[in-house]
Amino acid sequence: MAVVLPRLAARLAGAVFVLWMVATITFFAVRLIPGDPAQAVLGGPGSQASPEALAAVSVEYGFDQPVIVQYFAQLGRLMTGDLGRSYALNIDVGPLVLSQLGGTLLLAVLALVLAWLLALAVATWSTRGGKVAARVGSSLEIVAAALPHFWLATSLIVVFSIGLGVLPPISTGDIAGLVLPVLTLAVPLAGFLGQIMRESLLVALESPFVLSARARGESERGVRWVHALRHASLPAISLSGWAFGSLISGAVVVETIFARPGLGRTLLTAVTLRDIPVVIGVVMIVAVAYILMTLLTDAASRLVDPRLRLS
Amino acid sequence: MNGPALKSDNAAALTVRNLRVGFGLAEPVVRGVSFAVAPGECLAIVGESGSGKSVTARSLLGLAGTNSRVSADRLEFSGQNVLGLTDRAWQTRRGKDVGLVLQDALVSLDPLRPIGREIADSLRLHTTLGAAGRARRVLELLDAVGLPHPELQVRKLSGQLSGGERQRALIAAAIALNPPLLIADEPTTALDVTVQAQILALLEQITGAGTAVLLISHDLAVVSRVAHRVAVMYDGQLVETGPTAQVLGSPQHEQSRRMVAAIPADKPRGTRLSPSARPDAPRTPSIPDTPSTPDTPSSLSTSSSLSTSTNFRAGVSLESTVVLEAIGLSKSFRRPDGTSQLAVDDVSFALHHGSTLGIVGESGSGKTTVARLLLALLAPEHGEVRVFGEPWSAASEKTRRGLRASVGAIYQDALGSFDPRWSVAEILTDALNLRHERGAPHTTTRLTSLLDEVGLAPTVLPRRPLELSGGQRQRVGIARALAGRPEILICDEPVSSLDVTVQAQVLDLLDDVQRERGLSLIFISHDLGVVQHISDQIAVMRDGRIVEIGPAERVFAAPQHPYSAQLLAAVPRRPV
């Protein structure tokens, strides 16, 4: 315990620092979007608000204050857990963002799991089935990793919804509606993870400890399950934290194409309307999810690699 | 078994007749090898890298590789044919009928699994023992291979054990089911001499218990300790087989003779180890090996600062000057857990012009840290290094840079010390400081003469390091070190990764350039034989301290410190 506590404290401090940086960068970045925020409060870019109304809103929301004062006011609110009120919807950002979080998390987690399964399957098969399998496997991985989400999503809709008519083109809220969005996110990631896994699997299969295991009478299956796959999964586990982040950003595209409610769409709408509190709210919640995921992959690495538990 | 009237071959634990192994469509790398090993006998196959010995060992387990073509007239374990077995049939035999021990257990045991699990694997695969039974047997095995406190060790990872401990664990895993045949492929190569001696004793004990042992090694001296018979492998064939004393004492085949002649230990300073194109100029050591009279005025100034210094007076001729001096060097490092460890502790010595100071010690003794301190790549915490009597470690890097050319360095891993994308020409042009005159005629002349000095033809100039052999690489490394016209060369394990005959050539080369250029050498090695051969003075290091320093002959003939004596006793020597 004496060793665990300082490490945990350092982690926590690091997480707080990351959140602070995220809040800061987002705060200044949204200020770069052209237009008057008071306009956003009064019905968005198209509304015909009077100058008096705009001035009143500016004072009420503090837009007339210097930027640095607004920054610290925002930071102070964030520290108390208050994400503010949406300009456009005039509701609290906290509950709004939380209500959208579930759908996006489900999408991201399912895509991550599917990507892992696909990557494992291709990597194992292609290192086992001889030269042709190796070629096919590695080509599949390269192609998959290079697919852009928007193209893949459109193609899947064309094939499965319009062509075959087996799956809905827009989200229906049931499992059938999840299949295409999850596939869209999982396939490119699977290609990427698969490349890494196959590479480290090949290294592990050539290593002296595998030769030792074979010399003990270990079967080909045993060599893989007891030794090689464990080694092969290590780099892929470390990358999963990053992959999760990329899945969430992919969700912006996927949720829009499949008309799925979620954080991605909420974020897109908020940016268009210059709804700063919602933008910051979404970014903060994603940052928290990302940090938790990183901690989780860290724990998973330590579980698989006992060497990390030593020091 | 068909009755008591056994033919000798049938009694053998392993019989191999006309084994041939090739890969893909290329020429076979093992070309018709035949031998037999009897129970309780140790046969050693010795050869240099690329001779086909490891491929032979792997073929005997059916593990030559997916791409391999293996054929033989006979391949039998205790009289039972194992030629052409299916994968599944091999799996039931490996571990049970034959065990394999590889080099360097750090990578030969799965680094993610506790050693207890690795050892229990054979039991899990071949017996019906339950978990408790396996755990009990693992403890017995660890005890049998001489690993102290087995119950504490079973849960450790191979990375948590010392080199000797993990090698014992690896052997325990291989003999878990008492296989009648044990194949050990370079089982002691990565180990320090004292640990090597212990592992060899363990192998001897296993042989003594009736196991047939096939030992694969590049090191004749090592095999001489345990092998009953030796087979010399060269270019895929066994060129000579016979009792150990006979093969090493009066080798018949040219390759055996070359390998035996290349062993540096016991060969006096200046004796050539390799057949050479250059006729041997009689060597006149710049420093007489015999101690001079005690009233020599320039006796080692540092000897008084050595706690272990004895009553020797270094044989230093009157005119020889100290070119490099270490005065009370200390350096410590921070361990991962935050505590600090003294890597070098109050080390003092002086290197005289034209002489060689050998520094020997086992891994972790601080030799390499000393090399880095001498090269001023690390700053000492206490003490200082002086070059030509001037401050060196204490000088600023700016001042040092002008003098750096006079202190050359040669490293063990020549390949790693080169930029892999540079050709030999680029490497040497850079070292000659002629980058701006690349391709100029005089640059080419300089390159050619530099290569000539290290015995390389100009044809290597366009090649990249990966396209060179180990010996060629080390020669390029030496050429690079010589390019700056150094007066001092610091060599850190310069021949440790080379085959014995190549090692012999490189040692001869170092000897030649030293004589021709009047170089002063610091020669760091774990190999006492090599150090003995090349050094005038020897410093023995242990735990960061010099425990003994003196003339090479005296240290080897009459070591004063118990640790030096222990090191010397552990060196495997061929029977004479």
Side-chain angles (χ1 to χ4, degrees), chain B residues 170-453:
Chain B
L170 187 63
I171 292 175
I175 62 169
L177 292 162
N178 282 323
L181 171 66
L182 184 68
I183 299 177
D185 189 354
E186 304 274 8
T188 64
T189 301
L191 303 175
D192 283 326
V193 276
T194 49
V195 183
Q196 185 178 60
Q198 295 162 14
I199 297 297
L200 290 176
L202 175 60
L203 283 177
E204 223 166 354
Q205 185 193 323
I206 292 169
T207 317
T211 306
V213 174
L214 179 66
L215 181 64
I216 310 283
S217 180
H218 70 287
D219 192 335
L220 279 170
V222 162
V223 306
S224 69
R225 268 186 79 129
V226 284
H228 301 109
R229 285 188 304 133
V230 172
V232 179
M233 192 152 189
Y234 179 66
D235 196 18
Q237 291 179 311
L238 294 184
V239 293
E240 182 166 359
T241 307
T244 307
Q246 183 192 313
V247 173
L248 298 188
S250 55
Q252 301 299 309
H253 189 271
E254 188 203 340
Q255 178 62 17
S256 329
R257 278 206 296 273
R258 263 172 56 196
M259 286 184 74
V260 170
I263 301 176
D266 308 327
K267 305 260 170 47
R269 184 94 166 82
T271 318
R272 295 200 77 83
L273 302 170
S274 57
S276 166
R278 285 201 238 196
D280 193 11
R283 192 193 150 84
T284 37
S286 26
I287 295 191
D289 287 348
T290 46
S292 57
T293 46
D295 57 349
T296 306
S298 66
S299 61
L300 275 182
S301 56
T302 51
S303 59
S304 56
S305 69
L306 286 168
S307 52
T308 50
S309 80
T310 49
N311 59 349
F312 86 95
R313 283 288 177 271
V316 177
S317 49
L318 281 166
E319 69 274 29
S320 90
T321 50
V322 172
V323 291
L324 177 76
E325 199 177 1
I327 306 158
L329 290 180
S330 295
K331 178 76 189 171
S332 52
F333 291 108
R334 198 170 281 275
R335 289 205 198 92
D337 60 0
T339 59
S340 82
Q341 179 181 18
L342 254 184
V344 172
D345 185 6
D346 194 21
V347 162
S348 303
F349 54 79
L351 175 66
H352 293 260
H353 177 74
S355 75
T356 301
L357 172 68
I359 302 180
V360 288
E362 300 193 308
S363 49
S365 61
K367 314 181 294 273
T368 294
T369 309
V370 167
R372 295 183 161 203
L373 289 169
L374 294 180
L375 288 165
L377 299 173
L378 283 177
E381 266 143 42
H382 301 288
E384 70 162 321
V385 180
R386 297 178 81 86
V387 171
F388 311 123
E390 301 288 320
W392 173 254
S393 59
S396 70
E397 181 57 34
K398 215 174 163 188
T399 326
R400 260 200 308 261
R401 200 159 293 148
L403 281 168
R404 280 228 179 256
S406 55
V407 185
I410 299 172
Y411 309 94
Q412 170 175 4
D413 179 14
L415 184 62
S417 75
F418 298 132
D419 184 329
R421 277 171 298 188
W422 280 17
S423 65
V424 171
E426 281 172 300
I427 290 166
L428 296 182
T429 313
D430 184 57
L432 285 166
N433 228 342
L434 291 174
R435 256 164 306 171
H436 305 297
E437 296 156 67
R438 200 183 299 161
H442 68 275
T443 306
T444 316
T445 319
R446 289 280 300 279
L447 290 180
T448 314
S449 73
L450 196 56
L451 284 179
D452 182 54
E453 201 171 350

Side-chain angles (χ1 to χ4, degrees), chain A residues 131 207-220 226-228 230-231 234 304-307 310-311, chain B residues 58 61 63 91 94-95 98 100 102 107-113 118 121-122 124-126 157 160 170 173 336:
Chain A
K131 269 185 190 161
S207 61
F209 63 80
V210 162
L211 183 65
S212 290
R214 289 203 168 112
R216 264 177 240 134
E218 191 70 82
S219 64
E220 202 52 34
V226 178
H227 301 276
R230 199 166 165 192
H231 287 258
L234 281 175
V304 177
D305 188 347
R307 288 172 298 188
L310 294 179
S311 54
Chain B
R58 273 151 218 203
L61 292 152
L63 288 172
Q91 281 161 22
R94 290 183 203 132
V98 54
L100 175 69
L102 291 168
V107 287
S108 299
L109 288 168
D110 190 334
L112 299 182
R113 304 178 79 220
E118 290 279 281
D121 268 354
S122 318
R124 171 175 60 82
L125 292 163
H126 299 290
L157 304 173
Q160 289 171 281
L170 187 63

